[in-house]
Amino acid sequence: MTASPLFAEGETLWSPHVRANPFPLYKRMREEFPVARITDPQLGQHFWLLTRYADVVSLVRDPRFTQDPTRLPEEVRQRFFGHKLRSLSRHLLTVDPPDHTRMRSLVSKVFTPRRIEELRPRITEICSELLEGLRAQGPGGDFLKEFAFPLPVIVIAELLGIPPEDRDRFREWTQTFFAPPSKDSQEKTREAHQNFFKYLGEIFELRRQQPRDDLISALIAVQEQGDRLSAEELMSMVFLLLVGGYETTGNLLGNGLLALLQHPDQLQRLREDRSLIPSAVEEMLRYCGPFELSILRFAKEDLELHGQHIQAHEAVRVNYLAADRDTEQFAEPDRFDVGRTPNKHVGFGHGIHFCLGAPLARLEAIVTLELLLERLPELRVATAPEKLAWRPSAQARGLVSLPLAF
């Protein structure tokens, strides 16, 4: 099978200039190759990539695809998931209905909008403290290092019930999990996973004996009633909440603030009308969202999509960033508009696999914008646009750093 002629010689979806600005390529893909065959250089495996909004939305409802690795032949499972830890293998992103329905129902009972909204005062306190730390750095202080990534780790640690004295370790493990790959990172990551899961196992046992008013205690309580989460599911779900809390929110804050600072007319609109802040967060999710490539889905049978023949057990992914710039869905999609309405973006996914932590990420982003507008009126990027570097991942989109001046 011949790959679609999308790239120049030696160029890939992971090339630095594509990472810096993937949108021209995605426009071409939507128009000419809406189902394109891509090679993942890290896995050395092929997958089909969908870039049109309508296809992204329909795929999540298509019963011809599965997200559950246990439904795949052993050879396919080993090729794509042999490197993954089993302790992370049973959560909302890796199961299909009816298991997904059961698990989502259980977790939703404790991860409620009311529980999230009750966090607003504490999130405001945390943001205030981090903001003071950022200001203390002076001009050139890195918004990502000092604010955007510490914030979700502190919030999710407190929500789960991690004791204050353990939060530095918790944060260190989290940073290790999401550090860019390097020669010596594999062993360090494996060790961090082992320590993290040993620690969580001990926390679970303590909460079973002495429940508290935290999310882990609530998940354990719901686990031990009729319908239940298995021990493996419980561990996987806590890790999924950490992943969603850390990388998603950190990149949303970094990407969103950069977009706002690069569009001073829209920043001025927010200064003049703070009621637009929730709408601005939605536009950040659409225009420069933290999710790029979805997790892998697999065809259950041979099928055709836009003239491309996809064989049974071949991998398929959707591209949320590309879908959210589709002219068939959004008027002037390349324009950043903090008052855009309607705005049915897929920045948090879609359908049954819509991000469970979306309300928390939204709240953290709203509080962040409120405080930045209030306390840093002269905020600007402290480096030239061409000097900003983007992370090499094509799955989550985010900056390496965002130095600020104020």
Side-chain angles (χ1 to χ4, degrees):
M1 184 186 298
T2 303
S4 301
L6 293 165
F7 304 103
E9 182 87 27
E11 182 185 63
T12 74
L13 197 61
W14 290 261
S15 297
H17 74 280
V18 176
R19 290 294 84 230
N21 182 17
F23 299 106
L25 173 64
Y26 291 162
K27 181 176 186 292
R28 185 182 170 208
M29 293 176 74
R30 284 193 308 270
E31 294 172 351
E32 301 178 30
F33 304 99
V35 181
R37 194 167 187 257
I38 305 293
T39 301
D40 185 328
Q42 294 175 327
L43 288 176
Q45 302 295 333
H46 305 297
F47 63 88
W48 294 96
L49 183 60
L50 279 58
T51 47
R52 290 181 179 171
Y53 183 94
D55 294 332
V56 169
V57 169
S58 65
L59 183 71
V60 299
R61 298 191 300 263
D62 195 327
R64 297 175 298 172
F65 295 90
T66 179
Q67 290 189 196
D68 189 343
T70 65
R71 299 190 178 193
L72 300 172
E74 178 63 23
E75 181 270 332
V76 177
R77 189 162 61 246
Q78 281 300 318
R79 274 197 291 121
F80 283 95
F81 301 103
H83 64 295
K84 294 288 179 69
L85 294 172
R86 179 167 172 76
S87 51
L88 305 182
S89 65
R90 301 300 290 175
H91 53 66
L92 290 174
L93 297 183
T94 58
V95 294
D96 300 327
D99 281 345
H100 182 277
T101 308
R102 175 184 65 84
M103 290 171 63
R104 182 122 192 170
S105 175
L106 286 169
V107 176
S108 296
K109 289 176 182 176
V110 298
F111 202 71
T112 63
R114 179 180 175 184
R115 182 186 285 266
I116 299 307
E117 184 56 34
E118 287 173 349
L119 294 172
R120 182 184 287 266
R122 179 57 185 143
I123 289 175
T124 302
E125 287 179 10
I126 296 167
C127 285
S128 296
E129 293 167 8
L130 292 174
L131 201 54
E132 288 308 308
L134 177 64
R135 294 176 73 166
Q137 295 293 313
D142 184 359
F143 177 70
L144 298 184
K145 180 181 178 183
E146 303 296 333
F147 189 103
F149 284 109
L151 171 63
V153 176
I154 295 169
V155 171
I156 199 66
E158 292 193 6
L159 181 62
L160 289 171
I162 304 301
E165 62 270 20
D166 293 339
R167 283 177 196 152
D168 285 345
R169 279 198 297 164
F170 191 84
R171 182 173 168 184
E172 184 179 331
W173 290 327
T174 304
Q175 290 171 332
T176 302
F177 299 154
F178 299 110
S182 64
K183 278 195 245 180
D184 61 352
S185 67
Q186 192 170 359
E187 183 56 40
K188 190 180 293 186
T189 301
R190 185 182 295 112
E191 182 181 345
H193 274 119
Q194 290 172 346
N195 291 334
F196 180 76
F197 292 123
K198 180 176 181 291
Y199 173 80
L200 277 186
E202 293 170 353
I203 289 285
F204 292 161
E205 189 55 39
L206 283 172
R207 294 297 180 268
R208 285 190 181 95
Q209 296 172 13
Q210 298 178 323
R212 296 183 182 178
D213 183 23
D214 58 41
L215 194 59
I216 286 179
S217 297
L219 287 170
I220 290 170
V222 80
Q223 178 201 18
E224 293 173 349
Q225 301 166 1
D227 229 1
R228 53 181 284 153
L229 293 172
S230 69
E232 185 181 357
E233 289 168 349
L234 180 62
M235 185 73 77
S236 293
M237 282 304 310
V238 169
F239 189 78
L240 179 62
L241 289 171
L242 173 63
V243 171
Y246 180 75
E247 197 165 33
T248 302
T249 305
N251 287 333
L252 167 60
L253 296 176
N255 300 356
L257 181 58
L258 176 63
L260 199 56
L261 295 176
Q262 289 179 331
H263 295 83
D265 60 321
Q266 298 302 302
L267 178 57
Q268 186 59 31
R269 284 181 73 188
L270 281 191
R271 293 195 192 285
E272 295 173 357
D273 184 359
R274 304 291 176 87
S275 70
L276 286 174
I277 288 177
S279 173
V281 171
E282 298 309 309
E283 181 67 343
M284 292 170 179
L285 285 160
R286 184 201 68 84
Y287 184 82
C288 52
F291 289 132
E292 194 156 350
L293 302 187
S294 72
I295 65 168
L296 295 165
R297 291 173 171 85
F298 294 85
K300 296 179 184 177
E301 59 192 59
D302 291 359
L303 53 93
E304 296 278 336
L305 280 178
H306 294 291
Q308 297 285 7
H309 179 67
I310 299 176
Q311 298 180 6
H313 307 134
E314 283 195 310
V316 178
R317 304 178 90 165
V318 302
N319 191 309
Y320 297 116
L321 276 186
D324 277 337
R325 297 286 187 104
D326 192 335
T327 55
E328 294 297 314
Q329 176 66 23
F330 301 98
E332 298 182 83
D334 294 326
R335 181 170 61 88
F336 182 66
D337 177 5
V338 297
R340 182 180 293 271
T341 182
N343 193 354
K344 295 183 178 180
H345 62 78
V346 288
F348 279 129
H350 183 75
I352 65 170
H353 295 290
F354 183 80
C355 178
L356 182 72
L360 180 58
R362 281 183 168 121
L363 178 58
E364 289 170 333
I366 287 169
V367 171
T368 294
L369 284 182
E370 290 171 345
L371 290 180
L372 286 175
L373 290 171
E374 176 186 326
R375 301 186 187 180
L376 298 177
E378 301 299 323
L379 189 63
R380 64 189 187 278
V381 180
T383 189
E386 62 272 15
K387 292 186 177 180
L388 291 171
W390 292 85
R391 293 177 181 270
S393 170
Q395 182 159 331
R397 178 162 175 77
L399 291 157
V400 173
S401 66
L402 181 57
L404 298 178
F406 27 79

